[in-house]
Amino acid sequence: MTSTRTRISKAVIPAAGLGTRFLPATKATPKEMLPVVDKPAIQYVVEEAVAAGLSDVLMVTGRNKRPLEDHFDRNHELEQALRRKGDDDRLERVQESSALANIHYVRQGDPKGLGHAVLCAAPHVGDQPFAVLLGDDLIDPRDPLLTRMTQIREERGGSVVALMEVEPASIHLYGCAAVAPAGDEDVVKVLDLVEKPDTADAPSNLAIIGRYLLDPAVFDVLARTEPGRGGEIQLTDALQTLAADRSLGGPVHGVVFRGRRYDTGDRGDYLRAIVRLACEREDLGPEFRAWLREFVREEMRADTAGTDGGGPGGSRPGLEPVMQGAAGL
Ligand code: G1P
């Protein structure tokens, strides 16, 4: 186990997935580049890493991921065109992504799972603790989860994962943790981890969300972790090994996150994330919220009149999440 005082400076962002849930949009565009309002999803994740002091970012990419590299690189032609037009605002926004962080790339040749993607980062990370951020989870910058996780790692060493309570019916979508109290109200000791259990077998409703601070001992463990759920090498399984034998890389703790998390992993959640974030934007929010309020009113009127075309009974099951997204309008 590395010293608790070793400051974490490296973040690993796995970005080799095929994004099949978003086809055909992701046929020629990486899913990480899909816009959330007006920024690609991946930029939010890099900004979060940088805000937590992680300015060395390694992206684990695969085939067809060139647009990612281009996005975080300079685009001189575009910059010149904007400069000529005197469009300073856009110029600044274009330059922002290329000046954000020191970004490196490594390719995951075979899509053998998240654990394998993290293992591809070993030569770059070396013998230091590091962070892993998964691009499907966006954490609101007002709820600095990584900073809290860093504090816990500094106090307790080992590895730290982010956990969140989910509906029991959704636990099969996540890694799930069995935990014990660990003193602080938002901190637990991880006793056991299982990747995507059936609801009936899940040890809790605490789901791993995509933020991890890992002791480098995880690399040795990953190298000997057999394929698990879905025939893939699972990061959850390697963490389970670490949690079960703390002599390998220290304990595993969980920070139970109760802040704002936006899931962009499937189409419905992606749409809800955009609605929420658009509502909160200073530039777009006021007008968008006014439109959304009117939209919801119209939908409700149509529901009451039974003329919404939503099938027998005129119910609109799809409306409910939109309204959740609009909470606090
Ligand atoms: C991955 C992990 C899972 C974790 C989830 C968080 O699953 O394997 O343990 O709970 O990310 O988003 P994926 O969503 O990539 O299938």
Side-chain angles (χ1 to χ4, degrees), residues 114 134 137 174-175 195-196 208-210 212 234 236:
L114 177 61
L134 304 187
D137 292 295
Y174 298 94
E195 178 69 2
K196 303 197 173 119
I208 303 179
I209 53 171
Y212 309 77
Q234 297 293 350
T236 303

Side-chain angles (χ1 to χ4, degrees), residues 48-295:
E48 182 193 340
V50 171
L54 313 170
S55 53
D56 180 309
V57 173
L58 177 74
M59 292 201 190
V60 185
T61 66
R63 290 170 58 77
N64 298 332
K65 299 286 180 166
R66 270 290 301 279
L68 281 176
E69 296 187 28
D70 290 342
H71 181 72
F72 291 104
D73 197 359
R74 299 288 296 269
N75 182 337
H76 294 286
E77 215 181 321
L78 178 60
E79 287 178 29
Q80 259 170 26
L82 292 169
R83 209 172 280 121
R84 268 200 305 271
K85 279 196 201 165
D87 195 341
D88 293 341
D89 278 0
R90 288 205 176 86
L91 178 63
E92 202 181 306
R93 269 150 63 196
V94 160
Q95 287 174 330
E96 235 170 46
S97 57
S98 52
L100 254 183
N102 193 2
I103 305 189
H104 310 266
Y105 301 88
V106 63
R107 278 203 180 206
Q108 182 187 15
D110 301 310
K112 290 199 253 173
L114 177 61
H116 179 250
V118 171
L119 189 53
C120 293
H124 180 85
V125 168
D127 194 24
Q128 308 175 21
F130 63 105
V132 173
L133 288 79
L134 304 187
D136 285 348
D137 292 295
L138 302 188
I139 303 295
D140 196 295
R142 292 166 294 181
D143 301 316
L145 170 61
L146 274 179
T147 306
R148 177 67 178 145
M149 291 170 72
T150 306
Q151 258 172 13
I152 300 306
R153 207 202 73 84
E154 281 168 5
E155 280 169 32
R156 302 171 188 237
S159 301
V160 179
V161 297
L163 300 174
M164 196 163 184
E165 284 189 46
V166 298
E167 290 297 322
S170 303
I171 197 73
H172 69 281
L173 301 170
Y174 298 94
C176 174
V179 303
D184 290 303
E185 193 243 334
D186 62 337
V187 181
V188 288
K189 184 159 194 270
V190 174
L191 305 174
D192 200 7
L193 287 163
V194 40
E195 178 69 2
K196 303 197 173 119
D198 292 337
T199 305
D201 306 329
S204 76
N205 66 337
L206 284 172
I208 303 179
I209 53 171
R211 299 295 178 269
Y212 309 77
L213 299 183
L214 300 175
D215 188 274
V218 77
F219 292 130
D220 281 344
V221 174
L222 278 169
R224 51 192 166 79
T225 298
E226 295 291 328
R229 189 101 193 165
E232 298 189 333
I233 298 173
Q234 297 293 350
L235 182 58
T236 303
D237 294 346
L239 281 166
Q240 156 62 18
T241 306
L242 289 178
D245 180 356
R246 55 176 298 170
S247 73
L248 295 171
V252 179
H253 285 94
V255 166
V256 182
F257 183 60
R258 298 195 176 90
R260 287 156 281 199
R261 160 184 177 256
Y262 311 104
D263 186 344
T264 57
D266 78 15
R267 290 172 302 172
D269 289 333
Y270 171 74
L271 291 175
R272 288 187 270 281
I274 291 176
V275 170
R276 282 169 192 253
L277 287 166
C279 282
E280 285 168 17
R281 282 272 294 256
E282 271 179 30
D283 52 349
L284 301 168
E287 208 179 310
F288 184 66
R289 286 153 76 120
W291 173 83
L292 191 56
R293 262 191 229 109
E294 189 47 40
F295 174 75

